[in-house]
Amino acid sequence: MQAELKAIVAEVQEKATGIHSRAEFEAYKATVVGPKGSLTEIMKGMGAIPKEDKPAMGKLINEAKTAVQAVFDTVLERLETAELAARLGPAIDPSLPAPDLPRGTLHPIAQVREEMVALFRRIGFSVAEATEVETEHYCFDALNIPADHPARDMQDSYYLPEALKVGNVSQLADEKYLLRTHTSTVQIRTMLAEQPPIRIVAPGRCFRRDTPDATHSANFHQIEGLYVDRDVTLLDLKATLDHFVKTIFGPKAKTRLRPSFFPFTEPSFEMDFYSPDLGKLSNKWLEIMGCGMVDPEVFKAVGIDPELYTGYAFGMGIERIAMILQGVDDIRYYYQNDVRFLRQFA
Ligand code: DAH
């Protein structure tokens, strides 16, 4: 009987490791301690055992029962842990980013801005910035834009009330403050801070009191370019713009300079381009920027000697370029942040 008990305990210990579900466990447990189980049968046999042997046998049986129960407890614990793990799913690392979030993308305007900036960086331009809140001096006077110019009209620009003059945006105390109407302000701020040679592009946000329609927005973006050195000529400007247009709109694109007027350049031009690979816009001359040779008056305003230095400047709207490249026919789409629109540029 002692040997039988030992065999039962050994068998339970061995079989236990192969049990992987509660159903298997219950079924197996019944074969040991159920009404007809192996251990139960031995306990039933106690009656036939001589009286004097009973205490010793009882002790052995109890020991066997305890050993078997310990094995069953371990199995049950193992099964419960496995069941819980199955309900919780795979192990996670809570420090990782949520896997379900879709990745964002750059805004289509930012994509075009980055493409343009990268192009100019490759040919030696660096990126300059200045504030969006400006004074009339930097926005107009220093750029040779006279006091009676319509761009300075309170109706055309966003002027800031006195109370909003915060921060150190100007050294000039009694200046009028406004939201910059163009990025040409960065020309002035850069030339005051650096000595030639200067070769910068300045991407940034501008503001005008425009009534929004398909091609106008009160807030929009420009890229300004400025190159100042000895012996900079119109040919340098033309070559740079040719390179720009061919890189952005394809190698077959052509440029054309049309005489125009800007107070801060002399001579001044509108630059048009056309490209045979532009879908609906193919082979039409499209005006995309203003440009010219830096006016000596501007050099004087920033203390650069116009006898020693010459320069060219250009400025264009990023939205205009983006609309052509992306086939967008209404500027307002760019500002509505409708993901159905934005996703198309992902
Ligand atoms: N600032 C002008 C505008 O907003 C654009 C422009 C024209 C910039 C000619 C220039 C330039 O640098 O040379 O309409």
Side-chain angles (χ1 to χ4, degrees), residues 125-344:
F125 285 77
S126 49
V127 176
E129 280 182 318
T131 48
E132 290 170 3
V133 174
E134 264 299 358
T135 66
E136 281 196 312
H137 176 77
Y138 291 101
C139 203
F140 303 126
D141 298 277
L143 285 159
N144 197 34
I145 298 173
D148 59 358
H149 195 283
R152 302 179 70 136
D153 200 313
M154 294 285 277
Q155 306 302 312
D156 281 348
S157 306
Y158 287 103
Y159 279 81
L160 274 73
E162 301 288 311
L164 285 179
K165 288 183 186 178
V166 286
N168 181 26
V169 292
S170 167
Q171 304 93 313
L172 307 164
D174 40 72
E175 272 275 7
K176 281 198 189 130
Y177 288 76
L178 72 159
L179 297 179
R180 68 177 175 196
T181 57
H182 54 180
T183 45
S184 301
T185 56
V186 189
Q187 289 190 33
I188 302 302
R189 289 194 174 271
T190 306
M191 286 190 284
L192 283 173
E194 289 168 32
Q195 289 303 309
I198 291 171
R199 189 153 38 182
I200 54 124
V201 283
R205 182 184 257 192
C206 308
F207 307 84
R208 285 182 202 176
R209 201 181 160 282
D210 268 329
T211 307
D213 64 20
T215 54
H216 293 85
S217 165
N219 113 76
F220 59 100
H221 301 80
Q222 287 188 335
I223 286 198
E224 192 80 11
L226 175 71
Y227 178 31
V228 182
D229 201 348
R230 289 171 196 259
D231 305 321
V232 177
T233 70
L234 195 52
L235 191 61
D236 297 310
L237 172 61
K238 172 82 167 134
T240 307
L241 297 184
D242 270 346
H243 174 71
F244 165 72
V245 162
K246 286 190 163 63
T247 310
I248 294 280
F249 297 110
K252 291 193 203 127
K254 284 196 164 51
T255 55
R256 167 173 91 179
L257 293 181
R258 255 185 311 114
S260 181
F261 174 78
F262 297 101
F264 36 92
T265 43
E266 181 58 35
S268 302
F269 306 92
E270 302 281 355
M271 195 205 78
D272 308 334
F273 85 99
Y274 89 81
S275 163
D277 311 312
L278 271 185
K280 266 196 282 181
L281 297 174
S282 290
N283 298 320
K284 287 185 196 149
W285 285 104
L286 303 169
E287 181 196 317
I288 50 166
M289 71 170 89
C291 57
M293 302 306 291
V294 178
D295 194 297
E297 288 303 315
V298 174
F299 281 144
K300 283 183 206 158
V302 295
I304 290 179
D305 184 352
E307 296 297 325
L308 278 181
Y309 293 102
T310 53
Y312 66 68
F314 57 85
M316 63 190 129
I318 302 181
E319 279 83 347
R320 173 107 176 100
I321 310 284
M323 286 170 80
I324 295 171
L325 280 176
Q326 296 166 344
V328 171
D329 58 9
D330 193 320
I331 199 171
R332 288 167 291 194
Y333 287 128
Y334 288 121
Y335 312 116
Q336 286 163 350
N337 276 343
D338 186 328
V339 286
R340 291 169 300 180
F341 173 76
L342 298 175
R343 269 203 200 112
Q344 297 175 56

Side-chain angles (χ1 to χ4, degrees), residues 104-132:
T105 58
L106 279 184
H107 188 277
I109 293 295
Q111 289 179 23
V112 172
R113 181 196 67 212
E114 291 306 301
E115 190 182 337
M116 289 162 74
V117 165
L119 177 175
F120 283 110
R121 290 179 89 116
R122 284 196 297 272
I123 55 170
F125 285 77
S126 49
V127 176
E129 280 182 318
T131 48
E132 290 170 3

Side-chain angles (χ1 to χ4, degrees), residues 79-92:
L79 290 179
E80 276 171 356
T81 312
E83 277 168 13
L84 186 67
R87 261 190 289 150
L88 288 177
I92 54 156

